[in-house]
Amino acid sequence: MNQLAVVLVFLPVIVSIVIYLSKWRHMNIVAIASQLALTIVAVVYFTHFYGDFESTHIVLGGWDSRIGISLANDELSMSFIFLSLFSWWMVLIYTFRFGHTEHSFLFFLIFLQGVFLGLLQSNDLFNVFVFLELATIIVTILIAYNKKGESFRSALYYLIVNVPAMLVFLTGIILVYFTFGSINIVALTEQFQDVDDTIILRFSYVLMMAGISVKAALFPVFTWLPKAHGVAQSAISALLSGLIVKAGVYLFFRMNFLYEGAGFAYSDFFFMVGVLTAISGVMFALSQKELKQILAFHTISQVGIIMMGVSSADSDMFYGGILHTFNHALFKSLLFLGAGVIIQVYRTKKVGEIRGVFKTMPVVSIFMIVGMLSITGAPFFNGFISKSIIKYGLAEQGWRYWALYVINIGTATSFIKMSQIFFGPKTLSYPLKNMAQNVAMMALAFGCVLLGNFYIPFSEGFFGIRVEEFDLTSFDVLLDYGITVAIGLVFYFTVIARDLKPVRMIRESRISFENANLVFLIYIVALTTYFVFLS
Amino acid sequence: MNPILTFLVVLIGFYGLSTSDNIIKSVFSVTIIESGVILLFLNLGNFQGGSIPILSEDLVSIVDPLPQALMITTIVIGSTVTALSLMLCIKIFHHYGSVKWKEVLARKDVKS
Amino acid sequence: MNNSIRFLRQFVLIALLGTIFVAFTMSMNELQTLYNDFGQQYFFEEGLSDTGSRNLVTAILLDYRLFDSLFEAGILLIAVSGVIWISKHDIEEKNARFMIDKYKTPDLFITFSRLVYPLMLTFGFYVIVNGHLSPGGGFQGGTIVATAILILYYIDPNKETNIGLIVTVEKIIYLLIIVVASISLVTRGTFFTNFFDPSHDADTMAIYLVILNVLIGFKVALGLWTIFTAFLKEGR
């Protein structure tokens, strides 16, 4: 039964190759069918092992677990598996028509799913590295898929920035291997329980974290993200922002679980990184004028909020961060898909030039509004739950609370700016013809509302945390949100709408490629100083 | 060779990445970093000395075979990354007429 | 002004690299005492009886860590499709013309290529088939075979290559590799290992290693061939 974990990885891989080789015109149906089969396998696997995730651990080939590669699942990886299955469902439905003709697109897309599921389940450090590299390469190809000049340069930038980071990660693995004689995460976790505090251990932690930070687009190494996510096709952007960035966040959890026995005090450092990530993401998003660029920068800011949550040792905040990972995947995919439809119809990406969306396409607008309410943290939508959990955790902690508050105001302002596209008279006619796109967006919007109202069974079922103790429906909460939006409105009309000089300066500031790499080195040195020299 | 020396190769690669504006040179810098990492891993596998990891009757000790196996994987990854990025370089040159990051990134999108 | 900023930047860069170097040197000093050779000893003692391969690198690649190797081959598969897709509009026509100018390639080189070509091909196959006994294996031998094939382009610049066919064969071989690797599920109850269990003698177990090495060798050779051809076409 536990060999099904391998099926989860290889079913998409095999199906994708069959799709690539086939000449049949309706391969998108095969893709949907395989996705259905995969979902069934995952559900069977989950129900079989629910409550007893210890026994999911298998060593491929049946060797000693310190030698072979092993796969294992727990609550966290299972919930990520279901999240990725859901995301791929949405993308496959959204691109259903496109998939008719583009077999190689489906090939890369579905292969990526197999790789991602492998990454989630893998329990071997080098195997994780292989999956990460493979995912990087496939994502590069998917970004370049449009074959425009812009997409080529973003793809290459993405590749060249990410591969050195992965090699730094590999160097960390090398140090671990020669100190402990194994690279199996389960075996290492046991060995780390009573480990001596050595420099080599700390340095390997630093190198791994540096690599992961680039993948997760943390401050100051996020320069690749807006380029890549702003340029790719909307469906791919949705997948990248919603899920693939979370690979970095997921590995952040995994590595910190691994190094738990060593007892590093990482909490303060990564909280600061999270705050800086969130603030810089919001700042750049406020200055942008293109629809997808705004959304891409908001991915950075939301990853920052997630980091603020998960860096904490306080378990409530930690689970708030994890919940926010899920919620962000839902609403950011929704926003990207909606933006894709709008850009397709209006043929421009500029927020200033798009007007009258609500009259032209009311259905898409409603979905977009749901997404916007979620991301700004409106009550009864899902973003609100996780943000509130983090907020409650920070309530007593002075500046940290206000930092989150400022970020929320920035997010609200930015989406007030974006909501300008809804106003205005009807300029175009948009026949509601591509049902598949609307179905995908509807499912995501439905998910946002559902999680926003029935979060208690979800978070208890998966993570076993109790969230009832937070009173999330009182009048205070509404008032709080109202104040945030009001400040956001004032800020929008006084600063952003007039396009003052500082805003323009932020928009036009660019970091050159060499300096981006210099910044990466500075980040590694900062980590080294904090974790190695100052300890 | 000393593991510390091989780590210098990695650092030379990073030096190249953060000083060169040329796309092709940055691709090669990545290749240099990767060679450095591979050399480092192989060197550390030879930390205690030993003969090649092919068993015969009168062997006393061998070098660690795992780094060699893992490094084959890394080499394959590296070669594919190089192939892909050089292909993208060619395409970028066709679209923008330049292989300088500064010019390529500053350019507004041109019609393909 | 500009010069001094550049100087300062250079200084900062060197300082950063120096700091990383110092941290690395410190950790290397500790490795003298901490070095752990658990894996090394394990492979030395158990490797042959577990896998039937005298070459322990092959033993790890094709048995202990076969899962990695499958995705290693998968990376090549993706790269081939990716490079072809990115360079597609030039590749539409089935037959390519090449940038290698026949008149600029020295005659001596062409003659020697003719001489070396069969030797390289044979050596490549030797390395593939003997991967479990001597240094080599599917990946290494496949690269040699691919290089040998590439020499053909020097001998005959007008050589035509049907890329579509090669890619199809490559993908099918990859599927075959997965199938061969999974047979052990039936015979031994677990994925991705030798389909003979370790109670057999080394020569019997080598059957599996040779099959897998040959498949991987072909896959790698075809993949690299395709990538190289795509570049040649791009360079027109």
Side-chain angles (χ1 to χ4, degrees), chain A residues 383-433:
Chain A
F384 165 72
I385 309 296
S386 38
K387 273 191 182 177
S388 303
I389 295 175
I390 298 174
K391 215 165 166 182
Y392 273 88
L394 293 174
E396 306 293 316
Q397 299 195 22
W399 68 271
R400 297 182 171 205
Y401 177 79
W402 294 109
L404 185 61
Y405 208 85
V406 168
I407 293 161
N408 278 342
I409 291 173
T411 314
T413 315
S414 166
F415 280 93
I416 288 167
K417 178 169 89 183
M418 198 194 251
S419 65
Q420 301 303 312
I421 62 171
F422 296 128
F423 303 113
K426 181 172 179 171
T427 48
L428 294 161
S429 66
Y430 168 69
L432 196 68
K433 58 179 182 210

Side-chain angles (χ1 to χ4, degrees), chain A residues 189-375:
Chain A
T189 314
E190 281 169 20
Q191 280 179 292
F192 277 24
Q193 290 308 320
D194 49 342
V195 71
D196 295 333
D197 195 1
T198 52
I199 290 176
I200 194 163
L201 188 69
R202 289 179 171 269
F203 193 53
S204 67
Y205 179 77
V206 164
L207 292 176
M208 284 190 187
M209 281 298 144
I212 290 168
S213 301
V214 175
K215 273 273 144 207
L218 300 182
F219 179 85
V221 282
F222 54 70
T223 45
W224 57 268
L225 189 140
K227 289 187 175 58
H229 292 195
V231 165
Q233 297 178 22
S234 299
I236 298 300
S237 301
L239 197 60
L240 294 182
S241 275
L243 204 61
I244 308 291
V245 174
K246 306 293 167 32
V249 180
Y250 178 80
L251 284 177
F252 180 82
F253 306 147
R254 274 266 173 271
M255 291 305 127
N256 278 319
F257 289 154
L258 173 63
Y259 281 87
E260 212 169 22
F264 296 153
Y266 62 88
S267 189
D268 288 342
F269 186 89
F270 284 107
F271 187 85
M272 270 313 290
V273 170
V275 171
L276 289 173
T277 311
I279 286 179
S280 49
V282 165
M283 232 168 61
F284 281 105
L286 281 173
S287 68
Q288 294 303 313
K289 294 209 148 186
E290 285 186 3
L291 204 52
K292 285 176 78 174
Q293 288 288 331
I294 296 176
L295 291 174
F297 276 110
H298 270 295
T299 301
I300 297 172
S301 78
Q302 300 294 316
V303 167
I305 293 176
I306 293 170
M307 286 305 294
M308 286 164 77
V310 298
S311 67
S312 161
D314 173 8
S315 67
D316 281 341
M317 264 171 73
F318 180 81
Y319 286 113
I322 292 182
L323 266 184
H324 202 62
T325 316
F326 285 83
N327 296 335
H328 175 248
L330 291 178
F331 56 66
K332 189 50 68 66
S333 308
L334 175 59
L335 286 170
F336 262 118
L337 295 181
V341 176
I342 292 172
I343 289 169
Q344 205 180 332
V345 172
Y346 279 80
R347 294 177 192 286
T348 173
K349 289 178 175 177
K350 296 258 186 291
V351 173
E353 293 169 15
I354 303 173
R355 282 291 177 270
V357 175
F358 196 83
K359 294 252 171 60
T360 313
M361 23 190 182
V363 182
V364 177
S365 306
I366 289 169
F367 296 147
M368 285 289 275
I369 289 169
V370 169
M372 287 181 180
L373 287 173
S374 297
I375 197 171

Side-chain angles (χ1 to χ4, degrees), chain C:
Chain C
M1 177 61 193
N2 212 347
N3 238 351
S4 65
I5 287 181
R6 196 181 297 164
F7 180 76
L8 189 70
R9 190 179 179 282
Q10 205 81 343
F11 180 75
V12 169
L13 179 57
I14 302 281
L16 292 173
L17 293 175
T19 319
I20 299 173
F21 186 67
V22 167
F24 183 78
T25 318
M26 281 161 72
S27 48
M28 276 301 117
N29 282 338
E30 282 187 315
L31 201 60
Q32 307 284 352
T33 51
L34 289 175
Y35 191 85
N36 187 323
D37 59 353
F38 168 78
Q40 192 175 331
Q41 294 304 328
Y42 182 93
F43 292 124
F44 185 51
E45 282 151 18
E46 311 283 336
L48 181 59
S49 58
D50 273 357
T51 64
S53 167
R54 290 195 172 274
N55 183 349
L56 292 178
V57 179
T58 305
I60 295 172
L61 274 177
L62 296 188
D63 209 330
Y64 290 115
R65 299 182 70 88
L66 182 57
F67 192 61
D68 263 357
S69 309
L70 287 177
F71 279 98
E72 181 183 350
I75 286 181
L76 208 54
L77 185 97
I78 287 291
V80 168
S81 311
V83 167
I84 288 178
W85 171 256
I86 288 171
S87 68
K88 191 131 185 182
H89 64 90
D90 294 317
I91 274 189
E92 286 288 294
E93 71 266 41
K94 225 172 169 182
N95 307 324
R97 302 183 53 75
F98 300 107
M99 65 170 169
I100 296 171
D101 191 343
K102 196 174 185 180
Y103 304 102
K104 279 180 188 163
T105 318
D107 281 341
L108 191 64
F109 186 78
I110 296 177
T111 316
F112 263 100
S113 300
R114 287 202 175 115
L115 203 64
V116 167
Y117 168 68
L119 289 176
M120 284 178 80
L121 212 56
T122 322
F123 180 62
F125 284 121
Y126 172 82
V127 167
I128 292 174
V129 174
N130 276 327
H132 59 293
L133 297 174
S134 61
F139 289 102
Q140 300 90 323
T143 319
I144 298 172
V145 171
T147 323
I149 295 171
L150 299 184
I151 275 195
L152 279 182
Y153 287 127
Y154 281 106
I155 298 170
D156 178 14
N158 299 319
K159 190 175 147 45
E160 292 173 356
T161 316
N162 185 348
I163 284 205
L165 182 68
I166 302 179
V167 173
T168 311
V169 174
E170 191 218 1
K171 300 273 185 289
I172 291 172
I173 292 182
Y174 185 68
L175 290 179
L176 274 180
I177 294 173
I178 295 179
V179 168
V180 172
S182 315
I183 293 176
S184 63
L185 182 67
V186 184
T187 57
R188 288 174 67 178
T190 173
F191 271 106
F192 306 139
T193 182
N194 200 325
F195 45 72
F196 295 113
D197 60 58
S199 60
H200 293 75
D201 64 341
D203 289 340
T204 319
M205 292 180 82
I207 294 173
Y208 158 84
L209 297 169
V210 171
I211 293 175
L212 213 53
N213 261 336
V214 168
L215 286 176
I216 290 178
F218 273 109
K219 199 211 150 298
V220 170
L222 293 178
L224 292 179
W225 186 10
T226 323
I227 291 179
F228 194 78
T229 315
F231 270 96
L232 282 178
K233 287 174 182 174
E234 198 60 35
R236 265 183 316 168

